[in-house]
Structures are given as structure tokens and as C-alpha cells.
């Protein structure tokens, strides 16, 4: 399936999780076997072209696509977790979202210094999550070569922010305006 066809599998839910947010929901995409496989295939091809040696995905929706991409490429997956979930000493970073604030943590031993990492997530909005993940991964010595998303919300400027950090960014689908 093409990215244009995949767009039709994404459900838009108005006013979730708060008034004024148009929530772009991937539940309907991942329930569609052919669509899910196609999305993972497109993301994997792009990550491979960036020379990814491992994939990092952000909890929770980034785990769905990131782990599948890692399996497709036969490389490792690094979970970038929400706070208090990892059973070892972590390093973490606080960040702002389109709705609220949160924190990400990683196990510093999960990364080899100089390792080329590609970030995979379902969606980039303000870029708060992806920029925080990039900073965290770089802090432990990773080379964050690229970031791949199913959906970009360009009006919120996240992809631009991430590119300003020197990360190559692409997305399968843009949702502009409403
Ligand atoms: O570009 P940003 O403004 O940072 O927003 C994008 C992030 O928001 C969503 O995750 P969320 O934190 O809602 O968590 P979830 O994956 O657990 O639903 C989405 O999966 C991205 O990770
Ligand atoms: N508008 C949105 N839809 C789905 N996930 C999001 N994460 C941040 N903004 C979002």
C-alpha cells in the first residue's frame, strides 16, 4: 500500500485528549494487517538507507512501529521509556508535549558509543518527544542519524525542530490544518 492509501487508514478523533486537539489515531492502521506491514516496510526502507545499526522507539506508540522495523531489518531495538519502568539506573530528560509534560528514560548500557541509531515513532507533533529522545541518546554516545515517523503534523513544527538538531527526518503522511 502507498503512503496515500495508508492515510485513509488513520482515524481522526476531535477534542482528544483535550478540546482543540485533532487526535490522529493509528489504532485503525495497525488493525489492518496489510496496512501495518506496508507502513513498517516503508519506515524500515528509510531507516536502512540511513545506515541504522539499531532502532530506538519511544513508549508507547513508538514501540509498536520501532520494534517491528528492528525485526524487519534484523537489528536491535532500544526502548526509550516513560519514567520508573526500567529496573536499572537510568538517565532521563523532561520535555513538553502538545498536551502536557512527560519524561523519558533509557538504560545507558543499551547503547554502544558511536552506534548509529534511527528513531522511529508513530507521529511527530511539536517535536518535544523526538528532540528529548535525540538529546538522551546523544548523551550516552549514540549517533542519531535519522528519525522516521508514520505521521507528521507540520503545523506544529516538530520536524523542523528536529532537523535543527542535525537529524534527518521523514514521515510517510502529513496532516496539515484540520
Ligand atoms: O512531537 P510531540 O509533541 O512530542 O508529540 C508526539 C508524541 O506524542 C505521542 O505520544 P504520547 O506521549 O501521547 O504517548 P503514548 O505513545 O504513550 O500514547 C506520540 O506517540 C509521540 O511520541
Ligand atoms: N494530534 C495528535 N494526535 C495523535 N498523537 C499525538 N501526539 C501529539 N499530538 C498528537
Amino acid at each position: 500500500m502507498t503512503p496515500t492509501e495508508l492515510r485513509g487508514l488513520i482515524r481522526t478523533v476531535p477534542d482528544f485528549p483535550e478540546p482543540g486537539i485533532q487526535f490522529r489515531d493509528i489504532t485503525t492502521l495497525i488493525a489492518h494487517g496489510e496496512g501495518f506491514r506496508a507502513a513498517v516496510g516503508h519506515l524500515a526502507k528509510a531507516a536502512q538507507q540511513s545506515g541504522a545499526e539499531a532502532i530506538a522507539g519511544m513508549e508507547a506508540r513508538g514501540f509498536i512501529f520501532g520494534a517491528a522495523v528492528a525485526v524487519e531489518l534484523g537489528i536491535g531495538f532500544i526502548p526509550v521509556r516513560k519514567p520508573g519502568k526500567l529496573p536499572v539506573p537510568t538517565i532521563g530528560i523532561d520535555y513538553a508535549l502538545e498536551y502536557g509534560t512527560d519524561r523519558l528514560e533509557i538504560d545507558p548500557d543499551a547503547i554502544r558509543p558511536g552506534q548509529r541509531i534511527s528513531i522511529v515513532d508513530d507521529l511527530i507533533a511539536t517535536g518535544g518527544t523526538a528532540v528529548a529522545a535525540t538529546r538522551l541518546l546523544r548523551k550516552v554516545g549514540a549517533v542519531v542519524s535519522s528519525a522516521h515517523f508514520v505521521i507528521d503534523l507540520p503545523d506544529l513544527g516538530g520536524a523542523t525542530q528536529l532537523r535543527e538538531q542535525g537529524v534527518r527526518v521523514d514521515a510517510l503522511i502529513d496532516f496539515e490544518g484540520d
Side-chain angles (χ1 to χ4, degrees):
M1 291 180 78
T2 64
T4 308
E5 290 168 325
L6 295 178
R7 197 176 202 283
L9 296 177
I10 291 160
R11 172 169 64 186
T12 297
V13 181
D15 301 320
F16 181 87
E18 53 186 51
I21 302 289
Q22 292 277 80
F23 192 82
R24 308 298 181 177
D25 185 18
I26 48 99
T27 309
T28 38
L29 166 63
I30 62 178
H32 190 287
E34 192 193 338
F36 188 18
R37 183 164 60 184
V40 169
H42 290 302
L43 295 167
K45 196 170 170 194
Q48 189 171 41
Q49 281 165 358
S50 306
E53 295 175 316
I55 301 295
M58 291 79 99
E59 189 172 353
R61 284 175 262 157
F63 288 3
I64 298 168
F65 290 99
V69 168
V71 170
E72 175 94 5
L73 296 178
I75 59 180
F77 177 74
I78 296 154
V80 182
R81 299 223 57 177
K82 298 284 168 68
K85 299 289 188 180
L86 286 166
V88 291
T90 58
I91 67 159
I93 186 166
D94 297 305
Y95 64 100
L97 274 168
E98 190 184 6
Y99 38 78
T101 61
D102 217 328
R103 181 176 170 82
L104 293 175
E105 294 179 347
I106 56 172
D107 169 7
D109 292 338
I111 286 133
R112 181 169 41 76
Q115 193 172 19
R116 283 177 72 83
I117 307 279
S118 290
I119 289 172
V120 171
D121 204 352
D122 69 321
L123 178 145
I124 183 160
T126 64
T129 307
V131 169
T134 298
R135 291 200 175 122
L136 204 48
L137 290 162
R138 284 179 173 165
K139 238 188 225 181
V140 294
V143 174
V144 180
S145 40
S146 63
H148 309 278
F149 302 91
V150 179
I151 302 164
D152 179 21
L153 307 182
D155 296 344
L156 293 170
T160 304
Q161 298 270 334
L162 192 54
R163 289 188 184 107
E164 283 169 4
Q165 302 292 314
V167 179
R168 180 176 147 196
V169 180
D170 55 53
L172 306 184
I173 300 155
D174 282 358
F175 278 97
E176 282 184 88
D178 278 359

